[in-house]
Amino acid sequence: MSSREAILGAIRQNRPAGSYALPPLPDFEPLVGPDLVAEFADRLKRMGGRVAEAVPGGDPLAPVRERLATAKVVASAVPEVAGNRDLAQVANPGDLADVDVAVVRAVFGVAETGSVLFTQDELRVNAVAYLAQHLIVLLDPRDILVNIQAAYRRPDFARAAYAVLHTGPSATADIEGVLIHGAQGVRSLTVVLMPRG
């Protein structure tokens, strides 16, 4: 028996019998104003990310075209951007360690925190959101929710086998308060506001 099997077996054996309802989800007063797109962009910026500003009526991907053009390895999980690393062919998540840019679509964004949600369906390979050097996220502005409580109420959040909220690029700070981005994950996170379809 492996250590994993032993741990999971012990959890199953010691789990209380019966069915228990989840606690009720409280409603909190929103901490953001009515312009959810602006609030989302402001909070994402505070966390080290950015919303790419597109020219109205122009190419929505224009602000990230240079980054895509200079990347050697692009893993795309969206039809809007062609990549040269096919995520469907990735057998070992570690094979994504050389990805320069990953492009994924978020299920939704959260204005209060500047977060975006991905599930296994959007990422295709969960590790791509951590191993890529730079993450470009497509987000429909209509999919920006007011707060985390609204996110928890979404059925796509509840039914996902894997769900993760990303808020900006990876970051860490030492005891002297020196902030370093890209320490354990993506070095940059750019959100492109682009409607679905």
Side-chain angles (χ1 to χ4, degrees):
M1 176 184 293
S2 71
S3 297
R4 180 180 187 273
E5 290 167 341
I7 292 168
L8 292 175
I11 291 171
R12 286 186 198 101
Q13 184 178 6
N14 292 295
R15 184 175 179 219
S19 179
Y20 300 94
L22 293 173
L25 191 60
D27 281 317
F28 294 107
E29 189 69 30
L31 300 175
V32 295
D35 187 345
L36 297 184
V37 172
E39 296 282 4
F40 171 84
D42 176 62
R43 276 147 179 94
L44 178 62
K45 182 179 178 183
R46 289 187 206 178
M47 298 305 291
R50 73 180 187 102
V51 172
E53 298 293 333
V55 176
D59 175 10
L61 291 169
V64 294
R65 290 268 182 225
E66 183 179 347
R67 172 151 285 165
L68 291 168
T70 58
K72 291 180 182 165
V73 180
V74 176
S76 177
V78 298
E80 294 91 344
V81 175
N84 56 12
R85 175 65 54 83
D86 185 0
L87 290 171
Q89 301 301 317
V90 175
N92 179 359
D95 294 342
L96 297 171
D98 63 343
V99 172
D100 297 307
V101 177
V103 186
V104 297
R105 180 169 283 281
V107 179
F108 56 76
V110 182
E112 191 175 86
T113 60
S115 304
V116 288
L117 179 95
F118 309 119
T119 70
Q120 71 280 353
D121 295 332
E122 286 72 37
L123 297 175
R124 299 194 188 159
V125 179
N126 296 345
V128 76
Y130 303 96
L131 295 179
Q133 292 294 307
H134 305 281
L135 189 59
I136 296 173
V137 180
L138 307 186
L139 174 64
D140 190 325
R142 296 170 297 189
D143 291 332
I144 298 177
L145 309 176
V146 66
N147 58 21
I148 292 292
Q149 289 73 33
Y152 288 161
R153 288 188 174 92
R154 288 278 298 249
D156 38 14
F157 182 84
R159 70 174 166 252
Y162 175 84
V164 62
L165 287 161
H166 277 235
T167 309
S170 166
T172 189
D174 66 12
I175 199 163
E176 294 177 15
V178 177
L179 182 64
I180 299 169
H181 286 289
Q184 305 99 354
V186 296
R187 292 170 37 208
S188 72
L189 187 147
T190 304
V191 172
V192 177
L193 298 175
M194 179 184 289
R196 294 178 186 274

